Amino acid sequence: MARKGADIVIETLKEEGVEYIFGHPGGAIMEVYDALYRDGSIKHILTRHEQGAGHMAEGYAKATGKVGVAMSTSGPGATNLVTAIADAYMDSVPVVFITGQVPTHLIGNDAFQEVDIVGITRPITKHNFLVKRIEDLPMILRQAFYIAKTGRPGPVLVDIPKDITQKISDVEIPSLEEVKSSLPGYKPHTEGNPQQIKKAARLIAEAKRPVLYVGGGAVQAEAQKELVELAELMKVPVTTTNMGKGAFPESHPLALHMLGMHGTYYANMAVYNCDLLIAVGARFDDRVTGKVEEFAPQASIIHIDIDPASISKNIVVDVPIVGDVKVVLRKLIEEIKKEGAKLLYPEERQKWLEQIEKWKKLHPLTYRKSDKVIKPQYVIEEIWKVTKGDAIIATGVGQHQMWAAMFYRYSFPRQFINSGGLGTMGFGLPAGIGAKIGRPEKEVFVIDGDGSFMMTMQELITAVHYRVPVKIAIINNGYLGMVRQWQELFYEKRYAEVDLSIQPDFVKLAEACGAVGFRAEKPSEVREVLEEAMKVQDKPVLLDFHVDREENVLPMVPAGKSYRDMILEDGKKGVEADTMYLVG
Amino acid sequence: MSDITAVKAPALREIKKGRVRKHIITLLVRNELGVLARIATLIAGKGYNIEGLSVGETHEKGLSRMTIEVIGDDVVIDQVVKQLRKLIDTIKVRDLTDIPHIERELALIKVHTATPRARDEVLRLTEIFRGKIVDVSQSTYTVEITGTEDKINAFIELVKPFGIMEMARTGKVALKREMASTEEEQLWK
């Protein structure tokens, strides 16, 4: 059937099951918008900035596990997507970005609103395409979705010149089989090498002090059941990265919570002292390892990851297993059961768990309480209580993000949505809106910083426009808090350009946008405004919490330092070296 | 006292710091728009300069072979190879550095040969090196020579005293010798 390129775009997206497009129109993409309008079956969310569209698509993808779609016009529209593309790349988020491009005959001419977006995004996409012939259009779009969601997921960009969207063609939408065979160089490994799995099973049985170190890959693979089974079967404590939150229920007795720079004392102690580290869908990021030479210095390392290039990138591992985390864990559990699930040193394993309990008691996650000023950690705990631990939490980047990671307890995958790899301020609000659109049945709380919120706050009006009832809690300390914290700790309190005490009145801002606004300035008001906010279900609510300005995120391992340089919650600098070692 | 072994001192993790040396990487790639840029971007993104690069079509339609020379740390180059393998347009990537392989390069060298003695000498050297004189003028010979890098370098050294007017080298092409494969390659199978 002959139809326009723009109609082919819509037809292909429908074939891929796309429900929502987050985007912003413009000259070069107008034909596609016209086709979208005429077809009417895909819902479009008109964001107020393309960056917002990108993060919404990410939030949608992270919350649902489906592929997100963001669309923009050429030139500035496309460059405004770049931050979101880089963010999706760092966090392996499956998003297809569609950009308009100037007509083919003008490409390279410095035409109006022309930019080489394929060139710009080459290092920050899993793959990208410039469509040069209308006949290739449906195949390229289908390849884009296939590449985005399989293997290690990631962003894929498709740049479509305007004349391609206007041309007429009767090209058919290819089948999935045709798509696969058109990509001979792309074959993600999912199964895992059986020899290596056997070896891993043996090491787990032999280990005296094992730790599971779980990352975002386990969330992507939705391997919670397998992780719990493995941990319980072999009595292995589990620490998760920032991206891995929710992959293992944090209320579980074996949970060590987060490790690394702002990890718990007990998670870092466990990793420092373990003799076997089982890395699952995690990539040994520098925020996790600190000084690599002193990361798990006595441990053998098993690394399960779908991406062969992630293995032995930062740390040389002993047992590499390339495959889908869920598939490999399932096989590993079978292998362990086949051998009778016996521990070689059950007494040592028991002692190890007891030691970890001691560490948990010695330095639990805590903060100095106050009834005079609102402590940010207290706000997070109260949000956890009013939402019964069941909300999806989206955050910006900074102190509030770390507090949200520490003081909300996560129990299911895709519950904690934040910018882990790129650390994009402004991620929270649009990502939360995308998450709520994808998971309307869930309460979605955006926990944002005042600095982070300012970067994409125009999307508040998008949430009002589409009646997306997200709750936005601004942890307002009038500072770029994380930078201020570093300046306090490492730059002798020289607070260079971090004061944000001149801010808009966030409550009035919310009201100006047609949302609901509340403010809390005393600890006694926190619970009250949260309960009020929970009653509003038809529009966004913004909560402005005026918190203790100079509260720090602790514990903390200074960048590039070892776990033994950890600063504890009481502000004590450095951990006594003796406590780093196992003692009786 | 507990039975848990008290650990005396942390055995520092040994990081395999690689040697820095020249690597020769061969890639079979789909002949798609931007594939060269993609590969060059990836290598440049790791902070390395490409020393030599050659591309040409293979006997299979739509497939090209690239040979890349890059100087770098063994461990990081291993990363680069893995990343190159992940590119959608690459069918096969191999670091040939430690694998038996054949490599060849072609050079065109325009030598100043204004005197009869120079013409005799350059002709003789060209024969010794199994090169060919492909262009002649009143005062120059242009020599075509193929071989390993060493051989071409040796020839250049010998004709340098006569005066090299211009020169072009292709960069290497390389193929793995049959019956050679690496441990690492088998690991992912």
Side-chain angles (χ1 to χ4, degrees), chain A residues 44-94:
Chain A
H44 181 269
I45 304 293
L46 172 63
T47 63
R48 274 25 175 196
H49 189 290
E50 289 87 350
Q51 185 187 356
H55 293 322
M56 274 181 219
E58 284 187 87
Y60 174 89
K62 282 189 166 186
T64 61
K66 298 177 196 165
V67 180
V69 181
M71 190 155 78
S72 81
T73 192
S74 62
T79 55
N80 277 348
L81 283 176
V82 167
T83 302
I85 297 172
D87 190 272
Y89 186 66
M90 290 291 275
D91 285 351
S92 309
V93 193

Side-chain angles (χ1 to χ4, degrees), chain A residues 128 182 189 296-297 307 309 322, chain B residues 4 11 13 30 38 79 86 188:
Chain A
N128 61 15
S182 71
H189 298 263
D307 177 10
V322 181
Chain B
I4 297 178
R13 179 165 305 286
R30 292 207 301 168
R38 229 175 264 289
Q79 248 308 299
K86 272 169 69 178
W188 311 119

Side-chain angles (χ1 to χ4, degrees), chain B residues 13-114:
Chain B
R13 179 165 305 286
E14 195 190 319
I15 300 173
K16 255 205 264 167
K17 266 273 175 272
R19 293 172 282 175
V20 173
R21 56 182 173 147
K22 189 183 266 186
H23 284 255
I24 180 157
I25 300 166
T26 173
L27 305 95
L28 194 62
V29 302
R30 292 207 301 168
N31 214 346
E32 294 282 336
L33 181 81
V35 63
L36 179 61
R38 229 175 264 289
I39 286 159
T41 303
L42 200 156
I43 295 173
K46 300 273 172 189
Y48 289 145
N49 188 26
I50 294 176
E51 306 284 319
L53 170 71
S54 68
V55 200
E57 284 204 331
T58 66
H59 61 293
E60 285 169 275
K61 199 169 167 274
L63 294 187
S64 292
R65 182 169 296 279
M66 276 188 192
T67 310
I68 298 176
E69 291 170 89
V70 54
I71 294 173
D73 178 293
D74 279 4
V75 174
V76 186
I77 296 290
D78 181 54
Q79 248 308 299
V80 170
V81 167
K82 285 176 181 169
Q83 298 280 357
L84 287 170
R85 232 170 242 160
K86 272 169 69 178
L87 294 178
I88 307 296
D89 290 331
T90 58
I91 309 286
K92 205 171 241 179
V93 186
R94 267 207 203 99
D95 186 343
L96 291 179
T97 317
D98 295 326
I99 306 175
H101 65 273
I102 311 126
E103 53 180 71
R104 290 289 182 276
E105 188 175 355
L106 183 145
L108 290 174
I109 305 156
K110 193 181 289 172
V111 189
H112 187 70
T113 49

